[in-house]
Amino acid sequence: MKIMVIAGSPKAEARTRGIAQYASEVLRELNVDVLYFDVGSDQLPLFTGDATSAENETVKKLSEYAEQADGFFVTTPEYHSGMSGALKNALDFLGGKHFKNKPSAIAAAAGGGKGGMNALTNLRTVLRGVYSLVLPDQFVADPVNFDEGNVLVDELAQTRVHDLATQLKELTELVSVNKAKS
Ligand SMILES: Cc1cc2nc3c(=O)[nH]c(=O)nc-3n(C[C@H](O)[C@H](O)[C@H](O)COP(=O)(O)O)c2cc1C
């Protein structure tokens, strides 16, 4: 089984990456092949709808990973009550062809003080728009959940990401078995 993990922060130093890396570790422990894409280091051009962008190496990597993936673990920072522009730009290169009937788990890094929900609702809406099966459960990390190196160190936060990754693997398995039968 292949799960694409998307780290959705454009920043060089990003807490979102701490969630994506922890989720990747957990998924690998669960014997899942992780396809890791980081919008901060895998820098995409701006989506313009121009067909020639399909020849861009990073766009190719994004769409090849998404095509191969059986499910997705998508992480985003909350910026101004939404997902990052960099993540939305990446998702605009993809569509139902990549996501339809494939499960997704979503998680956000926010500023504390009850932030994060708006970014997740925004991300959930966009993933519904590409027909992904988004898990009802979701997770927000606050700055206190990370160390100075943006590693997710808080045990409760780790447990929540572990739970989400496990649910994602289980649902992806169920969906894959049923796809194989039909
Ligand atoms: C442009 C910008 C807008 C932000 N807006 C929000 C917000 O609306 N709600 C919130 O909880 N935090 C907000 N924050 C704080 C970030 O969500 C928080 O710092 C988060 O950890 C950033 O993740 P990153 O380090 O992966 O980019 C904002 C930060 C930036 C840079």
Side-chain angles (χ1 to χ4, degrees):
M1 178 197 298
K2 290 182 183 168
I3 301 273
M4 182 173 182
V5 175
I6 303 179
S9 175
K11 284 168 42 185
E13 306 290 325
R15 295 191 187 102
T16 302
R17 189 168 299 120
I19 306 175
Q21 288 180 345
Y22 190 75
S24 300
E25 271 175 46
V26 173
L27 287 165
R28 288 191 188 103
E29 279 166 21
L30 295 170
N31 294 316
V32 170
D33 289 338
V34 172
L35 303 167
Y36 188 82
F37 190 92
D38 187 323
V39 302
S41 51
D42 295 307
Q43 287 190 3
L44 291 160
L46 188 67
F47 176 77
T48 60
D50 182 345
T52 59
S53 66
E55 290 152 31
N56 175 285
E57 286 306 314
T58 315
V59 173
K60 272 191 205 162
K61 176 178 174 179
L62 176 75
S63 55
E64 282 169 14
Y65 277 16
E67 247 169 71
Q68 287 173 41
D70 302 300
F72 298 85
F73 197 114
V74 188
T75 64
T76 184
E78 177 158 295
Y79 290 163
H80 303 322
S81 302
M83 77 176 84
S84 72
L87 176 61
K88 180 60 166 61
N89 185 59
L91 294 174
D92 286 344
F93 282 101
L94 304 173
K97 164 182 151 193
H98 304 92
F99 283 98
K100 193 170 183 185
N101 295 334
K102 294 183 187 176
S104 293
I106 58 174
K114 299 194 167 59
M117 292 303 290
N118 287 319
L120 288 178
T121 301
N122 178 217
L123 179 54
R124 182 176 291 280
T125 302
V126 171
L127 290 172
R128 190 209 62 80
V130 290
Y131 294 95
S132 181
L133 307 171
V134 189
L135 286 171
D137 198 7
Q138 58 189 17
F139 170 68
V140 176
D142 292 333
V144 293
N145 299 146
F146 301 86
D147 70 10
E148 310 77 51
N150 296 321
V151 176
L152 189 76
V153 288
D154 180 82
E155 273 185 35
L156 188 57
Q158 290 181 346
T159 303
R160 293 286 295 114
V161 173
H162 196 285
D163 282 356
L164 259 185
T166 306
Q167 289 175 51
L168 176 62
K169 185 194 170 184
E170 286 172 0
L171 183 60
T172 306
E173 248 163 16
L174 267 177
V175 171
S176 301
V177 166
N178 281 297
K179 272 185 194 154
K181 275 191 204 156
S182 60

